[in-house]
């Protein structure tokens, strides 16, 4: 069942099926990907699937579950992106790699449809050094050096930092991205501004902020010195969009 064109919806929808068609299932979409609409006029007809009813029903639940999950993520992404844009944040809003095992690509696609950055699609996309990597290497400097040796010049290196001092060590060691993890809003603004000022003209790097960011607190972390805000709240525990499938005709 070729049914995987993920949509951004804000409300419950219905999917109508027509079994009186040729032997192969085909989908005709009535709304474009990424569109937003209101259910105020009742259920919305988003697509028509034509094909053998047995084949359609075999794929029904998998298709609806995928659409529901992906559309829920896209909806949440769009809502949070609108919130930070209204707060004056011009830079990147991203997800994380805390995705459902086996469903990562679908969830990442939902982030993209909702207007957010997917962050790393997989472990090969960028080397991220977290606290356990640093501890096992002995220091941030050693961990960055080892990552550079393993990944070569083509793979970016990001370091998760718990303090401004750790971020400075990471930048000095050659990290491309420093993540200020679990800082307060005030702490983020102070540290990000200090890092940009200290290394201006000496090092090129990005500042990412992450850790416990949600719709209720993210505005407090908004500042132009932050290049990336990343949060798993746009894809973990996100409500699904309610889709249904109806046979007509």
């Amino acid at each position: 069942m070729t049914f995987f064109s993920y949509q951004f919806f804000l409300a419950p929808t219905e999917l109508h099926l027509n079994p009186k068609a040729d032997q192969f299932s085909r989908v005709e979409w009535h709304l474009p990907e990424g569109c937003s609409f209101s259910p105020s006029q009742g259920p919305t007809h988003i697509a028509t699937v034509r094909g053998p009813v047995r084949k359609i029903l075999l794929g029904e639940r998998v298709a609806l579950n995928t659409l529901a999950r992906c559309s829920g993520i896209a909806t949440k992404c769009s809502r949070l992106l609108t919130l930070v844009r209204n707060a004056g944040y011009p830079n990147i809003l991203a997800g994380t790699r805390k995705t459902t095992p086996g469903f990562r690509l679908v969830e990442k696609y939902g982030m993209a449809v909702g207007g957010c950055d997917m962050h790393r699609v997989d472990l090969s996309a960028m080397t991220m050094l977290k606290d356990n990597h640093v501890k096992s290497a002995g220091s941030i400097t050693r961990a960055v050096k080892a990552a550079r040796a393993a990944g070569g010049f083509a793979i970016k290196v990001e370091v998760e930092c718990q303090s401004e001092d750790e971020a400075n060590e990471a930048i000095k060691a050659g990290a491309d991205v420093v993540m200020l993890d679990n800082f307060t809003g005030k702490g983020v603004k102070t540290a990000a501004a200090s890092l940009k000022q200290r290394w201006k003209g000496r090092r090129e790097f990005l500042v990412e902020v992450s850790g416990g960011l949600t719709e209720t607190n993210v505005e407090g972390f908004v500042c132009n010195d932050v290049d990336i805000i990343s949060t798993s709240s746009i894809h973990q525990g996100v409500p699904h969009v309610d889709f249904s499938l109806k046979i007509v005709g």
Side-chain angles (χ1 to χ4, degrees):
M1 190 174 183
T2 56
F3 201 38
F4 303 104
S5 180
Y6 310 114
Q7 309 293 311
F8 164 43
F9 296 105
L10 296 179
T13 61
E14 285 192 7
L15 181 65
H16 297 272
L17 301 186
N18 183 358
K20 298 178 181 178
D22 57 35
Q23 66 185 62
F24 300 104
S25 298
R26 294 183 299 181
V27 181
E28 177 187 358
W29 292 96
H30 306 306
L31 292 175
E33 180 175 85
C35 73
S36 172
F37 61 92
S38 170
S40 59
Q41 301 303 316
T44 301
H45 183 185
I46 65 159
T48 299
V49 182
R50 295 178 174 87
V53 68
R54 182 176 182 275
K55 292 184 177 181
I56 290 172
L57 294 179
L58 281 172
E60 172 189 4
R61 184 40 53 194
V62 173
L64 292 178
N65 286 351
T66 302
L67 283 168
R69 176 67 179 153
C70 200
S71 296
I73 290 171
T75 299
K76 187 63 177 287
C77 286
S78 180
R79 190 163 63 233
L80 191 60
L81 184 62
T82 298
L83 192 154
V84 297
R85 289 288 183 262
N86 289 340
Y89 182 68
N91 299 325
I92 297 169
L93 178 63
T96 71
R97 284 205 65 251
K98 296 176 182 177
T99 52
T100 306
F103 218 58
R104 181 179 69 244
L105 290 179
V106 173
E107 295 178 354
K108 291 287 189 181
Y109 192 84
M111 295 177 211
V113 172
C116 292
D117 192 276
M118 295 182 287
H119 214 291
R120 295 183 299 167
V121 175
D122 56 38
L123 291 174
S124 69
M126 178 172 65
T127 302
M128 179 179 284
L129 302 174
K130 300 177 75 66
D131 54 351
N132 287 332
H133 301 111
V134 170
K135 187 172 183 178
S136 64
S139 71
I140 288 174
T141 301
R142 289 179 181 176
V144 172
K145 183 178 180 179
R148 285 289 181 214
F153 72 90
I155 304 298
K156 288 185 177 182
V157 176
E158 177 169 9
V159 180
E160 182 182 276
C161 304
Q162 308 298 321
S163 68
E164 187 178 336
D165 286 342
E166 288 188 356
N168 278 311
E169 182 182 352
I171 294 166
K172 184 178 180 179
D176 300 288
V177 186
V178 290
M179 177 194 289
L180 306 182
D181 190 40
N182 291 314
F183 279 52
T184 64
K186 182 179 179 181
V188 160
K189 294 174 182 178
T190 300
S194 175
L195 292 169
K196 291 294 181 75
Q197 182 62 36
R198 177 172 182 173
W199 295 99
K200 185 177 181 180
R202 298 166 58 195
R203 296 279 189 179
E204 293 292 330
F205 62 94
L206 297 176
V207 174
E208 177 178 346
V209 172
S210 194
L213 303 181
T214 66
E215 289 183 23
T216 61
N217 66 4
V218 71
E219 290 179 87
F221 292 79
V222 167
C223 69
N224 288 340
D225 292 312
V226 170
D227 302 291
I228 306 143
I229 293 174
S230 62
T231 173
S232 60
S233 71
I234 58 176
H235 55 86
Q236 271 196 328
V238 173
H240 291 189
V241 174
D242 184 19
F243 287 89
S244 64
L245 181 151
K246 303 295 183 185
I247 294 178
V248 297

